[in-house]
Amino acid sequence: GAVVSQHPSRVICKSGTSVKIECRSLDFQATTMFWYRQFPKQSLMLMATSNEGSKATYEQGVEKDKFLINHASLTLSTLTVTSAHPEDSSFYICSASPGSSYEQYFGPGTRLTVT
Amino acid sequence: DAKTTQPPSMDCAEGRAANLPCNHSTISGNEYVYWYRQIHSQGPQYIIHGLKNNETNEMASLIITEDRKSSTLILPHATLRDTAVYYCIVRVEGSYIPTFGRGTSLIVHP
C-alpha cells in the first residue's frame, strides 16, 4: 500500500517552454502533497506544500509564478515549470500524506532536463 | 526540528551488518528519529522510525541511546541493493520534512 507515482519519469524540454509533472497517490487519498527538488549531489529541498482544494504554500526563495502547483483532487497534484531555463534542470520528487496519518510517501521522481 | 549529523560515507561488505550512526544531541522530547534511504535516481524510501525504544522491522533495526542524543540504524545482512544514501531525520510526528540533509552514502561491496 501507500504507492505514489509520478509522470513522466524523465522529460527534456527546450528553454522557454513549460512542462507539467503529475503526482498521483494510487491507493490512498492524499490530503497533503509536497514537492521537492534535488540538484546533483545535493539533498532534497522542499519547494511547496499543497492541501487539496487550497493554494499551495511555497518555501522561501521558490517563485510561485514559475512553479505552478495544482492539487485539484485527493489523488492528483501537478507541478508546472513555466518558462523553463537550464538552471531548472533537476530531479523533482513529490510526496503525499494521507489524512489518516502524518507519514509522507514519496514518488519515484522526475528528471527534468532543460536544453 | 533538531539538526542531525551523519558521516558522509561508509562502506560495508556484502552479507555483513551495516551500522549507520546519527547524532541528534538537540533532540526534543516529542521528536522522533526517522530513517529514509534514497537509491540513486529514485525517490526516498521510508525505513524505520522510533521515539525512545529500539525498533525493528523487516528492513532494519533502530537503536536509540538512553539519552536520545544519538541513534544507529542497523542493516543486519547488507546486500548490494542496499547501496544508497541514508538520511537520519528528527521531527515531531505530524510535521513534514523540509530538507533531508546530506545523509550517509553507504556502499556495499562484494
Side-chain angles (χ1 to χ4, degrees):
Chain A
V3 178
V4 177
S5 70
Q6 284 184 239
H7 177 79
S9 58
R10 292 176 176 271
V11 58
I12 300 173
C13 71
K14 291 188 176 181
S15 188
T17 62
S18 296
V19 61
K20 181 185 286 187
I21 303 170
E22 291 185 349
C23 174
R24 294 181 186 273
S25 56
L26 299 185
D27 50 4
F28 66 96
Q29 293 188 322
T31 54
T32 307
M33 284 186 164
F34 308 84
W35 287 96
Y36 292 81
R37 181 169 53 183
Q38 185 175 32
F39 292 109
K41 297 189 185 299
Q42 295 188 26
S43 188
L44 291 83
M45 294 294 292
L46 181 66
M47 298 174 66
T49 304
S50 71
N51 290 300
E52 185 263 338
S54 303
K55 287 186 179 179
T57 301
Y58 291 80
E59 295 298 298
Q60 192 173 8
V62 178
E63 300 174 57
K64 61 179 171 66
D65 295 329
K66 181 171 181 61
F67 298 99
L68 302 179
I69 292 171
N70 186 293
H71 189 171
S73 80
L74 286 172
T75 58
L76 173 65
S77 175
T78 60
L79 168 68
T80 301
V81 183
T82 62
S83 187
H85 290 131
E87 55 264 33
D88 298 324
S89 297
S90 187
F91 193 50
Y92 291 87
I93 301 168
C94 76
S95 172
S97 183
S100 58
S101 85
Y102 298 115
E103 292 308 325
Q104 285 184 243
Y105 302 100
F106 291 85
T110 296
R111 175 79 59 194
L112 170 63
T113 303
V114 184
T115 61
Chain B
D1 291 336
K3 185 179 176 182
T4 63
T5 304
Q6 299 177 252
S9 64
M10 294 182 66
D11 71 284
C12 170
E14 189 178 19
R16 304 297 293 270
N19 298 292
L20 292 89
C22 178
N23 285 321
H24 32 79
S25 58
T26 60
I27 191 170
S28 301
N30 62 344
E31 288 181 316
Y32 286 70
V33 180
Y34 280 77
W35 283 84
Y36 290 82
R37 72 180 182 184
Q38 185 180 23
I39 296 170
H40 182 63
S41 292
Q42 295 184 26
Q45 177 189 21
Y46 165 82
I47 301 174
I48 199 168
H49 77 284
L51 183 63
K52 51 184 176 182
N53 296 323
N54 297 337
E55 302 287 344
T56 295
N57 63 21
E58 64 277 4
M59 289 183 69
S61 294
L62 173 60
I63 308 298
I64 302 174
T65 57
E66 196 168 334
D67 63 6
R68 304 211 319 126
K69 293 185 176 182
S70 65
S71 60
T72 301
L73 178 75
I74 301 172
L75 307 179
H77 306 286
T79 70
L80 299 179
R81 282 188 279 187
D82 291 322
T83 292
V85 178
Y86 287 77
Y87 298 100
C88 169
I89 296 164
V90 172
R91 63 175 173 135
V92 174
E93 196 175 44
S95 66
Y96 57 81
I97 303 169
T99 180
F100 278 67
R102 292 287 188 156
T104 295
S105 176
L106 174 69
I107 296 174
V108 181
H109 53 84

